[in-house]
Amino acid sequence: MTTQYFRVADPRDPAIETVGAILRGGGLAAIPTETVYGLAANALDDGAVKRIFAAKGRPADNPLIVHISDLSQWPALVREIPDSARRLAEAYWPGPLTIVLPRSERISDVVSGGLDTVAVRMPSHPVARAVINAAGVPLAAPSANRSGKPSPTTAQHVIDDMDGRIDCILDAGPCEVGVESTVVSLVGEKPRLLRPGGVTPEMLRRVLGEIEIDDAVLHRLAEGKTAASPGMKYKHYAPAAPVTILKGSFAQFCAYVDANKTDGTMALCFAGEEALLPVPAVAFGAEDDGAAQAAAIFSALREVDKRGAKAVFARFPQMDGVGLAVFNRLVRAAAFRVIDLGGAP
Ligand code: TXA
Ligand code: MG
């Protein structure tokens, strides 16, 4: 298959109508969102949605997020919209937040991975919204990477993973947030954070009061335990080389890397530290800037791969605000290998 490529600067670009028609016809389109690039298909067309799973190599039990551009599209997708969900949507939609509720009969087992719930999100990216409008249907869209690879934050990342496997790619430049949306479930008694993202736990608490943080956010899922969010049980975001996160000061980091480096060792460090390290390094944002770290982390993980790293040591990000999402992605890339070097952070 030849993958068509469109570059757009503006949500009124005529290419968006073309992409809308491809989606209506059952095709697959990689589209920009404010979080990461998504691989979209008509959420109401099982044949189209199955092609997403095939193109990504995604396990069939990992459900997809359904993207809408207007609140009026939501009620048809879910059984009911509780007050808490309304308030969340009012506060943070359009934006990097996904809300899980019991699904309506319009959502098939293919989209929901067999769960009786559905995840819905209204993106804020003007091009994403224009594409949903042009398609005229809600769009199922996971991140547009091959399963297990870091999520794509540029069209080039999508081309690297998906060229020849999908109908088209719509390039609108790099994604602003850089990590995938916050996923919150309103299915149980208490609201539960399933995946941290651009909408932080503090922001959720402001609207919902108390929330539970799912174990899978920070810990490896215990053997035999079912994941509330099936995506959390799969190996994720990993470069080919083993990643180890080192917790400690910059001086301790440098000393540890120097003592443990071999041929092909690389570092994932904070901006400004690159030249001070004893090995080649790729930065992922400044130490005190969680938003910059989120915007850079997936690109940095792909970059160490591209440069042929054989082992990677990474700095330990702060876990407050959007930093929780950065840590969540990095610790998965590291297969939960974290070494505490002791002393003050
Ligand atoms: O920012 C994002 O959310 C991006 C852009 C493209 O919108 N999409 C994205 O999709 O990250 P994906 O498929 O890569 O991640 C969706 C996550 C997975 O971990 C999946 O298991 C979980 O959301 N999920 C989807 N539906 C769910 C449901 N009904 N219940 C619990 N978790 C669900
Ligand atoms: Mg994904």
Side-chain angles (χ1 to χ4, degrees):
M1 174 191 303
T2 311
T3 302
Q4 292 185 71
Y5 172 89
F6 306 99
R7 162 88 218 187
V8 298
D10 170 325
R12 283 159 309 189
D13 193 295
I16 288 175
E17 279 307 322
T18 310
V19 173
I22 289 171
L23 288 164
R24 264 198 312 281
L28 297 188
I31 62 168
T33 83
E34 72 279 18
T35 57
V36 300
Y37 275 78
L39 180 56
N42 178 354
L44 308 177
D45 176 346
D46 278 356
V49 174
K50 280 183 183 157
R51 295 182 56 216
I52 293 180
F53 287 88
K56 279 182 63 91
R58 181 177 177 109
D61 68 348
N62 194 1
L64 305 180
I65 295 172
V66 178
H67 295 66
I68 58 176
S69 56
D70 192 278
L71 277 181
S72 64
Q73 298 158 329
W74 197 15
L77 307 175
V78 295
R79 275 215 284 282
E80 63 173 332
I81 301 175
D83 185 52
S84 56
R86 281 258 171 244
R87 281 184 286 121
L88 261 192
E90 257 164 45
Y92 302 121
W93 277 359
L97 175 69
T98 296
I99 302 174
V100 177
L101 287 171
R103 66 166 154 144
S104 76
E105 64 293 337
R106 294 197 71 188
I107 296 294
S108 75
D109 280 339
V110 182
V111 170
S112 72
L115 297 177
D116 55 9
T117 56
V118 64
V120 178
R121 147 165 143 81
M122 189 195 293
S124 63
H125 197 297
V127 171
R129 300 167 63 73
V131 171
I132 301 168
N133 288 335
V137 288
L139 298 178
S143 48
N145 51 287
R146 292 299 299 270
S147 206
K149 294 271 289 256
S151 290
T153 54
T154 67
Q156 186 59 52
H157 296 159
V158 180
I159 293 169
D160 292 345
D161 280 16
M162 290 293 173
D163 198 29
R165 309 180 67 85
I166 62 179
D167 296 291
C168 66
I169 296 175
L170 191 54
D171 181 355
C175 302
E176 202 178 308
V177 178
V179 291
E180 310 89 335
S181 62
T182 303
V183 179
V184 62
S185 169
L186 299 177
V187 170
E189 232 161 73
K190 280 203 192 124
R192 176 175 284 262
L193 175 68
L194 301 182
R195 180 176 73 180
V199 172
T200 64
E202 301 80 69
M203 290 165 75
L204 295 175
R205 285 193 191 99
R206 228 174 282 151
V207 174
L208 298 171
E210 210 187 328
I211 59 166
E212 285 174 346
I213 311 272
D214 198 77
D215 272 354
V217 170
L218 290 175
H219 307 287
R220 194 199 299 268
L221 202 65
E223 202 73 51
K225 204 179 160 230
T226 34
S229 184
M232 289 291 181
K233 76 181 175 204
Y234 295 109
K235 190 171 149 85
H236 245 118
Y237 316 119
V243 178
T244 307
I245 304 173
L246 304 178
K247 188 175 184 183
S249 69
F250 182 56
Q252 288 173 318
F253 185 84
C254 291
Y256 188 93
V257 171
D258 201 34
N260 291 278
K261 66 176 194 278
T262 53
D263 229 22
T265 296
M266 288 189 71
L268 281 171
C269 64
F270 298 127
E273 296 175 349
E274 300 91 323
L276 304 169
L277 282 160
V279 295
V282 176
F284 64 103
E287 181 162 16
D288 59 355
D289 189 345
Q293 291 172 19
I297 185 68
F298 283 138
S299 199
L301 286 168
R302 281 177 182 260
E303 182 64 22
V304 291
D305 242 358
K306 228 195 218 152
R307 288 170 59 177
K310 296 217 166 53
V312 178
F313 292 114
R315 295 274 272 141
F316 188 98
Q318 276 166 23
M319 281 164 58
D320 56 332
V322 72
L324 183 66
V326 176
F327 179 77
N328 170 277
R329 307 310 190 269
L330 189 56
V331 82
R332 282 180 167 66
F336 293 88
R337 270 185 305 271
V338 181
I339 297 177
D340 194 340
L341 302 175

